[in-house]
Amino acid sequence: MLMVTIGTPERSKDFVARTGFPAENLLLDPDNITYDALGLTNDLANTFFNPATPLSLLKRGMEGKTDDLMNVLDGWQPWMTPNGPQQAMNQGGMFVFEGPKVLYSYYDKATADHADLEEVLSLARSLGAANVDCDCPAPADAA
C-alpha cells in the first residue's frame, strides 16, 4: 500500500513519526503532479462550502469515528503547502491500480468524506496484492 501526499520531506518525517506509517510507502508529490493527473478536486467551494462537508462530519460523529480526527488535531500545526494556499484546497481520493489499469477509484466529495478503507483493503486483498496492510497502529475507532 502506498500513500501519495503533497507534503515535503521535512513534513513527511513528522507524519511518519506521528502515525507510524512506513516512510518507504509514503510518496511525496509537492508539485501536485499526481493529484492533477488523477483529476482530484481543488477549489474552495468543494473543500469548505460543499454541503457534503458538514454531512460527512456529522456522519463520522454519529458512527463514533472521530477519535482519529481528534488525535490529528491534537498535534496539528499550521504550515504553508509547498505550492501556496491553493494547494491546501486539494481533496484526496483512494485508488487501487493493477499496473496502469484503475481497478477502484473514489474521489473525496468534500472535507471528511473518504472511501471505506476496509472495502478498499478487501478489494486489494482479493487481488492478492502484496503489502496490503502496513504495520501502522489501528485508529482508536477502528474496533
Side-chain angles (χ1 to χ4, degrees):
M1 177 186 309
L2 302 174
M3 178 187 290
V4 178
T5 177
I6 60 171
T8 62
E10 298 78 30
R11 291 297 297 208
S12 71
K13 292 174 189 168
D14 294 338
F15 177 80
V16 167
R18 184 154 181 80
T19 64
F21 192 84
E24 63 275 11
N25 292 15
L26 187 61
L27 306 177
L28 306 179
D29 183 20
D31 295 321
N32 231 60
I33 294 167
T34 306
Y35 282 76
D36 294 343
L38 291 169
L40 293 162
T41 301
N42 177 286
D43 62 57
L44 185 62
N46 281 309
T47 301
F48 296 109
F49 299 115
N50 184 328
T53 296
L55 293 175
S56 295
L57 290 168
L58 179 63
K59 179 181 177 200
R60 283 180 73 132
M62 292 180 72
E63 292 175 350
K65 295 182 177 180
T66 57
D67 287 348
D68 59 341
L69 180 60
M70 294 300 115
N71 289 339
V72 168
L73 290 177
D74 181 46
W76 182 78
Q77 298 173 357
W79 69 290
M80 181 56 70
T81 53
N83 285 324
Q86 181 63 34
Q87 198 175 29
M89 303 299 149
N90 282 359
Q91 290 297 318
M94 203 169 290
F95 304 87
V96 175
F97 295 94
E98 187 171 53
K101 184 178 178 185
V102 178
L103 302 178
Y104 175 91
S105 64
Y106 185 90
Y107 291 80
D108 294 354
K109 296 173 201 69
T111 301
D113 173 62
H114 305 293
D116 182 307
L117 182 58
E118 283 308 314
E119 178 184 329
V120 176
L121 291 175
S122 178
L123 171 64
R125 287 182 193 109
S126 74
L127 297 169
N131 300 319
V132 170
D133 297 303
C134 71
D135 291 328
C136 306
D141 64 357

